[in-house]
């Protein structure tokens, strides 16, 4: 086989792969998955609270822990020991829950650090398959980031302030990785107003001088993109992103710096960056955020896979911490 023939063969294989993957994505939307839905787990309505301030944060945390404790009792009475245990963990006196809703798949917003006095706050936005039942792995990522931030910035940048806080925001119903919703922007469109509301809440607690950064993983990058227009944040980092639904970083209509990274072993690199209207739904998320055409600031993420961006000691975690801290000149690139 000559050089020209080899090149043509590789191009055919590439086109074949993209076609097959596109068909799989479309199939996830057009063909509904079968299977029985999980029975509804009883839980109380969320605690009715006024918008928190720096002075009322502890009251909000206590009210949401109490709600989680009641949700645990209700889940136990229902016979769901796994959810009862997950809710009971949320109710631990050490937890700082800015919000909690045990109904359905469950929602929670947890704070790590002193939010009222932090001069830099990183908000983690999760991707698919994140719920109260799987919350542990999302929490582990937030804890790893908080430890990394504390190590890199042991002192606050502003007088009388503490260095950093992390907010783990499970504030929307995430799609399943294999589902009819993961290849469309529907869940993200519904989540975006909630993310904007969270940023407003954080501003009400921290004040205007605190630096906010959104760190958005996988489908969470679609959520961040839908919320980005005019959002009062300094940086938006997209990691393991299948695309954003926008053709470019400029299309996000944000004054924030837009960053993107993908680990060398992340399977999302094989997702075709296509977008098409099918049966009233937009399938796929368009331009690859790490491509030159998108125009983001691409940073190094190392050799990790799709779930490794917040792994302790990783290149990606170090760079995400630098972004959150505003140490933009220290961010490394491939």
């Amino acid at each position: 086989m000559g050089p020209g023939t080899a090149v043509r063969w590789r191009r055919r294989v590439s086109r074949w792969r993209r076609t097959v993957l596109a068909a799989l994505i479309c199939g996830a939307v057009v063909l509904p998955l079968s299977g029985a839905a999980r029975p509804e787990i009883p839980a109380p309505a969320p605690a009715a609270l006024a918008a928190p301030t720096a002075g009322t944060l502890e009251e909000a945390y206590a009210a949401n822990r109490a709600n989680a404790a009641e949700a645990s009792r209700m889940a136990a009475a229902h016979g769901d020991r796994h959810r009862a245990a997950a809710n009971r963990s949320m109710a631990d006196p050490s937890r700082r829950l800015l919000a909690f809703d045990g109904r359905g798949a469950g929602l929670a917003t947890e704070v790590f650090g002193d939010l009222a006095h932090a001069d830099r706050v990183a908000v983690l936005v999760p991707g698919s398959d994140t719920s109260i039942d799987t919350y542990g792995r999302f929490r582990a990522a937030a804890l790893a980031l908080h430890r990394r931030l504390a190590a890199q910035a042991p002192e606050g940048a502003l007088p009388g302030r503490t260095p950093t806080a992390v907010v783990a925001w499970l504030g929307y119903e995430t799609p399943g990785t294999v589902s009819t919703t993961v290849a469309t922007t529907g869940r993200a469109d519904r989540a975006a107003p909630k993310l904007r509301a969270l940023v407003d809440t954080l501003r009400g607690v921290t004040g205007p001088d605190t630096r906010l950064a959104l760190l958005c993983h996988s489908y969470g990058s679609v959520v961040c993109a839908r919320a980005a227009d005019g959002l009062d944040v300094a940086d938006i980092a997209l990691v393991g992103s299948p695309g954003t639904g926008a053709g470019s970083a400029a299309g996000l209509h944000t004054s924030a710096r837009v960053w993107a990274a993908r680990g060398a072993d992340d399977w999302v690199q094989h997702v075709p960056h296509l977008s098409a209207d099918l049966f009233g739904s937009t399938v796929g998320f368009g331009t690859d955020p790490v491509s030159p055409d998108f125009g983001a600031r691409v940073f190094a993420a190392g050799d990790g896979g799709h779930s490794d961006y917040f792994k302790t000691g990783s290149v990606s975690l170090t760079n995400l911490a630098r972004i959150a801290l505003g140490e933009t000149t220290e961010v490394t690139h491939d």
Side-chain angles (χ1 to χ4, degrees):
M1 181 182 294
T5 303
V7 169
R8 288 193 295 272
W9 173 251
R10 285 196 296 269
R11 287 174 177 170
R12 289 194 191 102
V13 170
S14 177
R15 285 195 297 269
W16 175 84
R17 177 185 290 174
R18 288 173 61 84
T19 300
V20 170
L21 289 170
L24 290 174
I25 287 179
C26 295
V29 175
V30 177
L31 301 175
L33 300 178
S34 60
R38 178 176 178 172
E40 188 72 16
I41 302 170
L49 302 170
T53 65
T56 64
L57 267 181
E58 293 301 328
E59 295 174 21
Y61 295 158
N64 286 310
R65 287 195 300 266
N67 189 275
E70 178 60 21
S72 178
R73 288 189 287 270
M74 293 176 71
H78 184 66
D80 194 318
R81 291 182 294 177
H82 181 77
R83 176 61 69 85
N87 290 338
R88 187 165 56 251
S89 177
M90 291 282 192
D92 187 273
S94 66
R95 305 292 281 269
R96 296 183 176 98
L97 298 181
L98 194 60
F100 178 81
D101 185 351
R103 299 172 298 179
L107 303 174
T109 303
E110 186 169 8
V111 175
F112 303 85
D114 184 358
L115 180 61
H117 300 99
D119 59 25
R120 285 156 290 194
V121 177
V123 179
L124 270 61
V125 181
S128 59
D129 289 328
T130 309
S131 67
I132 292 296
D133 293 317
T134 63
Y135 182 78
R137 66 190 184 196
F138 181 45
R139 186 173 193 266
L143 281 168
L145 176 64
H146 189 243
R147 286 192 293 265
R148 183 68 256 172
L149 289 171
Q152 290 182 212
E155 297 181 1
L158 300 174
R161 309 283 286 190
T162 52
T164 58
V166 171
V167 177
W169 183 71
L170 175 55
Y172 77 108
E173 184 181 0
T174 68
T177 298
V178 180
S179 72
T180 59
T181 54
V182 75
T184 72
T185 62
R187 294 282 176 95
D189 290 334
R190 291 191 291 274
K194 299 176 182 179
L195 181 54
R196 286 193 287 266
L198 172 73
V199 170
D200 289 342
T201 295
L202 296 178
R203 284 290 177 211
V205 172
T206 66
D209 295 329
T210 295
R211 177 191 188 85
L212 299 184
L214 298 184
L215 310 183
C216 319
H217 177 239
S218 193
Y219 189 87
S221 65
V222 187
V223 176
C224 290
R226 306 311 257 195
D229 191 349
L231 200 62
D232 186 13
V233 298
D235 294 271
I236 299 174
L238 316 172
V239 293
S241 175
T244 64
S248 66
L252 301 182
H253 305 292
T254 178
S255 60
R257 283 181 289 262
V258 179
W259 305 80
R262 185 166 61 221
D265 199 33
D266 190 339
W267 58 260
V268 85
Q269 66 185 295
H270 300 301
V271 172
H273 293 281
L274 308 171
S275 181
D277 292 327
L278 291 175
F279 302 100
S281 297
T282 301
V283 183
F285 305 114
T287 310
D288 185 349
V290 301
S291 70
D293 289 342
F294 190 76
R297 301 175 183 221
V298 178
F299 63 96
D303 296 328
H306 193 64
S307 301
D308 296 333
Y309 291 98
F310 295 91
K311 186 176 180 180
T312 299
S314 65
V315 172
S316 55
L317 180 62
T318 299
N319 276 331
L320 285 167
R322 288 167 176 159
I323 290 168
L325 293 171
E327 299 173 352
T328 57
T329 60
E330 304 300 316
V331 175
T332 60
H333 309 271
D334 289 325

